[in-house]
């Protein structure tokens, strides 16, 4: 379920072509070949307590495997960058807007819905007894799997459309509202 070095080379080159920052996750470390590291990448490393490494392309190990790639930039830059992503890559990879500043690229078999399903099967819990709460495109599969998919009030419309309930925004303690209502 991991991405390989050929995948990495393709997206690293594509990110330079379309003029966006790019970083990858491998073995719980963030790597970037961008000499001027994006402050969004630094913020991600800080918030997730993930070590961050600058590595020139020539120093990246060819046997590396990656859990995900991330195209990084302001919302306006990413809105523009999406237009330049070749249509055929959507069949080969799972490409999701996971935050206003990130586009995630994953193996097509990797998503939060599959993760929740594996945990549920391990714990012998049926989907009807599961509530999931989300607010970004990478939450879509999880909300569809759960018996009760809850969208945050600040979620995009396509997320709200699949949810069975829409709570308040994250700034208005929408998670607490949903938990108090249903749990």
């Amino acid at each position: 379920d991991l991405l390989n070095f050929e995948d990495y080379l393709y997206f690293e080159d594509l990110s330079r072509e379309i003029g966006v920052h790019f970083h990858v996750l491998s073995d719980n470390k963030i790597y970037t070949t961008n000499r001027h590291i994006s402050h969004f990448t630094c913020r991600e490393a800080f918030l997730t307590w993930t070590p961050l490494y600058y590595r020139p392309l020539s120093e990246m190990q060819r046997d590396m495997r990656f859990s995900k790639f991330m195209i990084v930039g302001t919302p306006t830059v990413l809105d523009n960058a999406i237009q330049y992503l070749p249509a055929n890559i959507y069949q080969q990879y799972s490409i999701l807007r996971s935050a206003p500043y990130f586009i995630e690229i994953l193996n097509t078999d990797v998503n939060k819905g599959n993760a929740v399903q594996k945990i549920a099967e391990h714990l012998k819990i049926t989907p009807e007894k599961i509530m999931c709460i989300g607010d970004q495109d990478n939450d879509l599969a999880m909300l569809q799997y759960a018996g009760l998919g809850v969208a945050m009030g600040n979620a995009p419309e396509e997320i709200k459309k699949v949810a069975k309930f829409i709570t308040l925004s994250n700034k208005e303690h929408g998670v607490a509202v949903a938990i108090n209502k249903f749990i």
Side-chain angles (χ1 to χ4, degrees), residues 19-154:
V20 293
H21 285 270
F22 181 69
H23 71 248
V24 298
L25 279 87
S26 178
D27 291 327
N28 295 317
K29 297 176 183 113
I30 297 174
Y31 294 91
T32 183
T33 58
N34 301 119
R35 184 176 303 264
H36 302 290
I37 299 172
S38 167
H39 68 278
F40 298 118
T41 295
C42 294
R43 183 173 181 260
E44 177 76 358
F46 175 77
L47 291 175
T48 61
W49 292 61
T50 308
L52 170 59
Y53 299 92
Y54 162 72
R55 290 280 188 279
L57 186 57
S58 61
E59 293 180 19
M60 294 291 284
Q61 301 293 324
R62 298 192 76 75
D63 62 347
M64 290 178 82
R65 297 291 175 261
F66 308 92
S67 53
K68 66 180 166 181
F69 304 148
M70 296 180 81
I71 295 173
V72 182
T74 65
T76 305
V77 166
L78 294 186
D79 289 344
N80 187 48
I82 287 171
Q83 299 174 46
Y84 295 101
L85 297 179
N88 65 324
I89 65 172
Y90 289 91
Q91 285 78 49
Q92 297 173 290
Y93 303 94
S94 181
I95 299 173
L96 308 158
R97 189 81 170 255
S98 61
Y101 312 104
F102 299 125
I103 297 172
E104 289 186 12
I105 298 126
L106 305 145
N107 180 305
T108 54
D109 297 330
V110 176
N111 64 57
K112 289 182 181 182
N114 288 346
V116 171
Q117 181 179 358
K118 285 183 195 253
I119 292 168
E121 289 170 355
H122 177 74
L123 297 173
K124 297 178 178 29
I125 300 171
T126 62
E128 298 76 38
K129 299 195 184 252
I130 296 173
M131 177 174 80
C132 290
I133 305 171
D135 67 350
Q136 293 297 327
D137 291 347
N138 64 338
D139 297 319
L140 183 63
M142 173 180 75
L143 296 177
Q144 290 172 323
Y145 175 79
L148 178 59
V150 177
M152 298 296 293
N154 55 289

Side-chain angles (χ1 to χ4, degrees), residues 131 133 152 167-170 172-180:
M131 177 174 80
I133 305 171
M152 298 296 293
T167 188
L168 297 177
S169 76
N170 54 0
E172 301 168 299
H173 308 289
V175 171
V177 170
I179 289 172
N180 287 329

Side-chain angles (χ1 to χ4, degrees), residues 2 7 123 137 158 164 166:
L2 297 176
D7 297 321
L123 297 173
D137 291 347
E158 58 269 15
K164 293 196 172 81
I166 299 170

